[in-house]
């Protein structure tokens, strides 16, 4: 491994199709500072697929969907993990690395799904449906995970549910993910009323307008979209599954019904594919910037901590998912 740090200028080719030179000028100082700080502090940056290209392609060490970030968090060989993503992702990294320092550059980077349910709500669901196992989407707080039997992500929800060998499960908190999975299994799913504020805004009418305006376009949707949107898409899958789909099928034209940076990041890797870009921004993901990643590393903030009362039970639910 070379110990010479790359200059920001030498990284520009990675993103030049997406980031104009005038914008890049504002990023280079932070990029060079972050690369130096990572080495000085033995830190790695885990970045979700919804992070902006200058983060995703220029400073991140590990990138992926929620499932990949959780899996790869277990193998990190560094003292510090900076999570470029939202708070539940940082908590998952901390659950799996209780002895490492886990930092999130902005503590307010939340998630409407995580905010839709509390640990008390899960206890009430258990009372209402005694003996029915609780499958919790990773987009939840550690306290909610601690009340669950097993976690899932959009990438493994079907496999997790079918691994339980039961006829009925409680699946929390994303109603649309639950309905989209229910359409693929004979297991009865009892859902909650949580929604992703980004994906709930897509409609079937958006897709028919896109198909009229961009003939032949392939439509990929995240399973947090309403079922009527998934029903008229060509494929639905996690952010990693959508990215793999583009790599495998190389559609001439594609639209990703998901967060905006996802298309930018995948487009960089597939110059031959035309990306059609109506998309919705996740305000929580967009709280993470190069500037606050740099401050996180300079000032060791914001430390992600988990209530000792819940940490072991929450970890068990995540580890059980990872073993499926
Ligand atoms: P993925 O697990 O598919 O990356 O999704 C996470 C997320 O928050 C989608 O909105
Ligand atoms: Fe949460 Fe939706 Fe943002 Fe994903 S896109 S972090 S589910 S609010």
């Amino acid at each position: 491994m070379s110990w010479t740090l790359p200059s920001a200028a030498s990284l520009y080719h990675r993103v030049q199709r997406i980031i104009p030179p005038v914008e890049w000028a504002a990023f280079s100082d932070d990029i060079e500072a972050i690369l130096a700080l990572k080495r000085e502090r033995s830190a790695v940056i885990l970045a979700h697929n919804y992070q902006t290209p200058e983060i995703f392609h220029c400073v991140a060490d590990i990138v992926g969907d929620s499932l990949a970030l959780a899996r790869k968090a277990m193998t990190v060989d560094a003292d510090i993990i900076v999570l470029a993503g939202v708070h539940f992702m940082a908590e998952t990294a901390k659950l799996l690395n209780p002895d490492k320092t886990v930092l999130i550059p902005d503590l307010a980077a939340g998630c409407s799904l995580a905010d839709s349910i509390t640990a008390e709500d899960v206890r009430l669901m258990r009372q209402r449906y005694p003996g029915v196992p609780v499958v919790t989407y990773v987009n939840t707080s550690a306290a909610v995970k601690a009340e669950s039997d097993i976690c899932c992500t959009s990438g493994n929800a079907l496999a997790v549910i079918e691994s339980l060998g039961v006829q009925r499960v409680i699946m929390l908190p994303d109603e649309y993910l639950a309905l989209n999975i229910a359409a693929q299994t004979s297991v009865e799913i009892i859902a909650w009323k949580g929604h992703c504020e980004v994906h709930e805004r897509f409609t079937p009418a958006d897709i028919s307008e896109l198909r009229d305006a961009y003939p032949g376009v392939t439509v990929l949707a995240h399973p947090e979209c309403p079922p009527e949107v998934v029903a008229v898409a060509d494929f639905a899958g996690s952010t990693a599954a959508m990215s793999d789909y583009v790599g495998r099928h190389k559609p001439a034209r594609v639209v990703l019904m998901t967060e905006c940076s996802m298309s930018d990041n995948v487009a960089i890797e597939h110059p031959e594919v035309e990306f059609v870009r109506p998309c919705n921004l996740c305000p929580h993901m967009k709280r993470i910037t190069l500037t606050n990643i740099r401050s996180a590393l300079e000032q060791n903030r914001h430390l992600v901590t988990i209530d000792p009362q819940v940490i072991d039970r929450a970890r068990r639910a995540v580890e059980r998912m990872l073993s499926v």
Side-chain angles (χ1 to χ4, degrees), residues 48 50 65-67 88-89 137 139 154 199 222 224 238-239:
H48 184 259
Y50 293 163
D65 65 355
S66 321
L67 183 59
F88 76 80
M89 295 175 178
Y137 197 28
N139 297 40
S154 59
H199 293 92
H222 194 278
E224 289 170 8
S238 77
T239 57

Side-chain angles (χ1 to χ4, degrees), residues 253-281:
R253 244 178 193 177
V254 71
V255 60
L256 309 185
M257 309 302 281
T258 190
E259 213 274 343
C260 302
S261 294
M262 173 82 196
S263 292
D264 291 341
N265 290 329
V266 183
I268 283 172
E269 277 152 25
H270 299 287
E272 70 287 14
V273 176
E274 179 194 349
F275 283 77
V276 176
R277 302 290 173 93
C279 56
N280 291 328
L281 281 169

Side-chain angles (χ1 to χ4, degrees), residues 5-9 11 23-37 54 59 290-291 293-295 298:
L5 288 171
S7 65
L11 298 176
E23 265 181 52
W24 179 253
F27 295 146
S28 27
D29 188 42
D30 281 338
I31 289 176
E32 287 183 2
I34 290 167
L35 297 179
L37 282 158
E54 67 280 7
V59 298
L290 285 175
T291 306
I293 291 175
R294 178 178 179 171
S295 305
E298 283 171 344

